[in-house]
Amino acid sequence: MKIVIAGGGTAGWLSALFLAKQNLHRDEPAYDITVIESEDIPIIGAGEGSTGVLQKVLLSTLTELEGFGEKEFFENCNTTFKLGIDCIDWNGVGDRFFESLSGTQTSSWPLDRDYVICSKYGNAGDSTLNQYLWERGLSPFVQNPDSKTAYETGYAYHFDAHKVGEYFKKIALENGIKLQTGTITDTNLNPKNGELQKVILKDGTEIESDFWIDCTGFNRVLSNAVGAEWVSFSEYLPVNSALVYTHQYEEGEKIPNVTTAWAMPNGWMWQIPTQERLGCGYCYSDKFVSEEQALKEMQEITGRKIEPLRNIKFDSGRLKEVWKKNVLSIGLSSSFLEPLEATSIHSSIIQLVQLTQHHLSPYKEDMVRESNIKANNEHFNMMLDEFRGLIQIHYITKRNDTPFWKYIHNDLKRDPLVEKILEICKWRVPNAYDFPFYNGAASWGVWNWILFGNNLISKEVLDKSLHTHAFHTESEKIYKHMVKQYGFDTKMFFPHTEFLKWVREEKEKSQKDLDNSK
């Protein structure tokens, strides 16, 4: 079956990698795969972060592809570790909390014992090793990085989006993917069934395919062609603009192992550390502040002179049917909420897992089947609708100091899942069973940190839940033991800056060996 991916970038080339794997271990390739990459359309991003699913892809799903692996990802993409998110000023100026990428050891219990105990006696983050690694500037790798052994803790990556696209492209082309360079200027539908039949490039080239993957970003070239509708989340999510810039490290500055999410007067600012620089931006609402004022706010708060790369406008939401006819949209063409929680790359990976493990077939009549399409769309919609609530819960804070925060406090429409969880928080601590369960779900292990950080679970409810589950008598003893044990465990881990130094040395060594072999 012929499959064409429209658009390069992270989503397009990652899609190509997933599909390339489907041709491994076959006598003859089952899929003829081509990527149409436009040189006219730039990649959006000034540094990007991921969730833990990318780490799982690097270490398991795609490792059979030649040249693909975690070490290579660090060497080629300016990658750094992401242990969580440092959340600043969300619940008031001067407030701060850590959102770990690792859940607690008791996160699947009817009561997340470790989380509740640490929330009562100290900080919710005390219940996860990642907070201790963050505070000490450590990586999740043990002292000898040559062992290539990471500790069993949740972690992800920061990286340069441009370099990731090029790295994925290189691996894809080495594994049988074809490249067609050009910009799509027109589409042609089959008049009998409304399926996409072919696309026409700017130079007049016509390309036909059985199945299409739309990775054209906000342009949504293919999904628009088959009539896919957009479902806006703007009534639930308050920001619609992003001012993007980069910042070079100061001499001797240590590279962080976390993303920074810094609440601002009219939105929030991100700082994502790659090996070479910080990728930064301000997500704001243009209903409350102009682009010029947003820039001024950033410069005043950071103390930096900032020259923006671009100002991006967006409408938070998703497609009503992410798979319509013979077109599946992945990446920004399928949905975009906002940069918080890296939901875009997360949902792209989960879509590709669902596609290749559940829906893909060499036989078009089996693949483009209504039951197949419906199952895929139901899963995707459930995921994005949960993520909508996950994003919104960040904004449910006591901040009420600007018109933007007053609007959120008083007038922003509450997401149904947010309403449900806030109601539960009035009388008990939520648990894993209170959230949707499916492949790719955020669930309790992510929501918990924000509920604590924004003070949405009271001390009274923490105490009540401990008594209900008979943990109250030993709780202080458990807390002290946990803090002591995690503090002791950090002694085995490699400093983040030293790990990155090792990565650079390994890259230089590999290049030297390559040069000598020529």
Side-chain angles (χ1 to χ4, degrees):
M1 184 170 68
K2 186 170 183 180
I3 301 175
V4 170
I5 301 165
T10 303
W13 289 110
L14 189 58
S15 299
L17 292 177
F18 268 85
L19 291 172
K21 185 185 175 184
Q22 307 313 305
N23 280 331
L24 295 178
H25 313 303
R26 295 177 184 267
D27 294 332
E28 294 290 335
Y31 306 98
D32 179 357
I33 307 155
T34 299
V35 175
I36 302 174
E37 185 177 59
S38 173
E39 296 177 337
D40 300 332
I41 302 172
I43 297 173
I44 293 176
E48 191 170 347
S50 69
T51 67
V53 298
L54 179 57
Q55 181 252 349
K56 292 179 175 63
V57 163
L58 288 171
L59 295 182
S60 59
T61 307
L62 298 178
T63 49
E64 291 182 89
L65 294 174
E66 184 179 348
F68 197 83
E70 186 172 43
K71 181 170 176 285
E72 291 78 10
F73 188 65
F74 269 89
E75 290 178 349
N76 287 279
C77 304
N78 281 342
T79 306
T80 64
F81 281 114
K82 177 183 175 182
L83 299 177
I85 305 174
D86 180 15
C87 300
I88 302 173
D89 292 348
W90 285 88
N91 204 34
V93 176
D95 190 77
R96 192 174 195 172
F97 66 92
F98 180 64
E99 186 183 330
S100 175
L101 259 73
S102 175
T104 73
Q105 295 185 61
T106 60
S107 60
S108 63
W109 292 14
L111 178 72
D112 189 342
R113 183 201 66 180
D114 291 0
Y115 168 84
V116 175
I117 288 174
C118 289
S119 297
K120 175 181 177 180
Y121 290 99
N123 186 303
D126 293 338
S127 60
T128 174
L129 177 66
N130 278 19
Q131 176 161 301
Y132 300 81
L133 297 177
W134 165 52
E135 292 172 340
R136 292 160 174 77
L138 302 173
S139 76
F141 271 55
V142 294
Q143 284 287 353
N144 178 14
D146 294 286
S147 67
K148 303 182 181 65
T149 302
Y151 191 78
E152 287 298 318
T153 186
Y155 67 90
Y157 311 107
H158 308 107
F159 49 82
D160 185 316
H162 297 268
K163 290 184 179 293
V164 165
E166 288 302 308
Y167 173 61
F168 286 174
K169 176 180 178 179
K170 176 178 179 292
I171 302 302
L173 295 179
E174 291 173 353
N175 284 272
I177 303 299
K178 300 173 184 176
L179 171 63
Q180 173 71 55
T181 302
T183 301
I184 298 172
T185 56
D186 201 4
T187 56
N188 184 278
L189 303 183
N190 185 322
K192 294 181 180 179
N193 56 21
E195 290 185 354
L196 181 60
Q197 194 164 270
K198 66 181 177 181
V199 298
I200 298 93
L201 305 186
K202 187 162 60 174
D203 65 1
T205 301
E206 297 185 0
I207 300 174
E208 296 185 358
S209 184
D210 300 308
F211 189 76
W212 305 81
I213 296 179
D214 187 349
C215 297
T216 60
F218 292 147
N219 293 322
R220 302 186 183 95
V221 174
L222 306 189
S223 57
N224 286 341
V226 293
E229 298 177 37
W230 185 253
V231 178
S232 177
F233 289 171
S234 59
E235 62 182 341
Y236 297 104
L237 301 179
V239 298
N240 61 7
S241 305
L243 202 56
V244 180
Y245 74 99
T246 61
H247 175 71
Q248 299 300 316
Y249 292 117
E250 305 292 339
E251 186 175 351
E253 184 177 356
K254 288 188 176 181
I255 300 175
N257 53 11
V258 296
T259 298
T260 298
W262 195 341
M264 301 280 280
N266 292 287
W268 67 282
M269 181 176 68
W270 76 82
Q271 294 186 155
I272 293 177
T274 68
Q275 291 181 34
E276 293 183 347
R277 55 173 170 71
L278 288 170
C280 311
Y282 184 1
C283 271
Y284 66 93
S285 170
D286 64 10
K287 297 176 182 177
F288 294 93
V289 66
S290 66
E291 178 182 343
E292 293 73 23
Q293 183 59 32
L295 175 60
K296 183 179 179 183
E297 287 177 5
M298 278 199 299
Q299 293 184 141
E300 289 176 347
I301 290 176
T302 63
R304 301 170 182 162
K305 179 174 175 53
I306 295 170
E307 296 183 5
L309 299 175
R310 64 183 68 89
N311 188 52
I312 302 167
K313 298 290 184 179
F314 58 88
D315 177 21
S316 298
R318 60 166 171 79
L319 290 177
K320 183 178 180 181
E321 296 171 285
V322 70
W323 181 346
K324 186 162 185 177
K325 302 293 183 181
N326 61 338
V327 174
L328 173 64
S329 297
I330 291 178
L332 297 179
S333 61
S334 71
S335 61
F336 185 69
L337 306 185
E338 59 156 283
L340 260 177
E341 298 293 345
T343 57
S344 185
I345 190 168
H346 178 97
S347 60
S348 296
I349 293 171
I350 296 301
Q351 276 188 276
L352 290 165
V353 170
Q354 291 294 113
L355 173 67
T356 54
Q357 295 185 7
H358 300 285
H359 305 305
L360 190 66
S361 170
Y363 311 104
K364 183 182 176 182
E365 65 272 18
D366 290 340
M367 186 170 172
V368 186
R369 186 180 292 271
E370 279 305 313
S371 59
N372 213 22
I373 295 173
K374 181 180 179 183
N376 178 86
N377 290 344
E378 287 177 348
H379 177 273
F380 179 80
N381 292 349
M382 178 168 55
M383 177 168 61
L384 268 293
D385 290 352
E386 186 206 349
F387 291 169
R388 180 184 66 198
L390 174 66
I391 298 300
Q392 189 186 82
I393 199 70
H394 287 77
Y395 293 94
I396 310 303
T397 83
K398 69 180 181 183
R399 281 199 71 156
N400 203 19
D401 55 325
T402 66
F404 171 79
W405 288 101
K406 290 180 189 294
Y407 161 73
I408 292 173
H409 196 74
N410 299 315
D411 300 314
L412 184 67
K413 185 176 180 179
R414 291 290 184 263
D415 180 90
L417 182 55
V418 168
E419 288 189 324
K420 171 190 168 183
I421 297 304
L422 291 178
E423 179 60 31
I424 291 172
C425 288
K426 292 178 182 178
W427 61 280
R428 68 169 172 85
V429 176
N431 61 44
Y433 305 103
D434 295 315
F435 298 86
F437 182 77
Y438 56 90
N439 181 29
S443 197
W444 168 244
V446 179
W447 282 71
N448 55 0
W449 312 117
I450 303 107
L451 293 175
F452 169 82
N454 285 345
N455 198 27
L456 298 173
I457 305 175
S458 69
K459 294 291 185 183
E460 292 74 21
V461 169
L462 294 172
D463 277 334
K464 184 179 179 182
S465 294
L466 287 173
H467 277 78
T468 299
H469 292 267
F471 288 128
H472 58 289
T473 55
E474 297 290 318
S475 60
E476 188 171 5
K477 182 179 178 181
I478 292 171
Y479 172 71
K480 291 179 179 178
H481 173 76
M482 216 182 310
V483 172
K484 182 178 179 181
Q485 185 61 50
Y486 280 136
F488 178 80
D489 287 346
T490 58
K491 295 178 182 179
M492 73 175 78
F493 291 93
F494 207 64
H496 189 228
T497 52
E498 291 299 310
F499 179 86
L500 297 178
K501 179 182 177 183
W502 171 79
V503 167
R504 289 191 292 271
E505 290 172 349
E506 286 292 297
K507 183 178 180 180
E508 291 170 1
K509 180 182 176 183
S510 298
Q511 186 60 51
K512 187 176 181 180
D513 291 342
L514 181 63
D515 293 340
N516 291 336
S517 67
K518 292 180 179 179

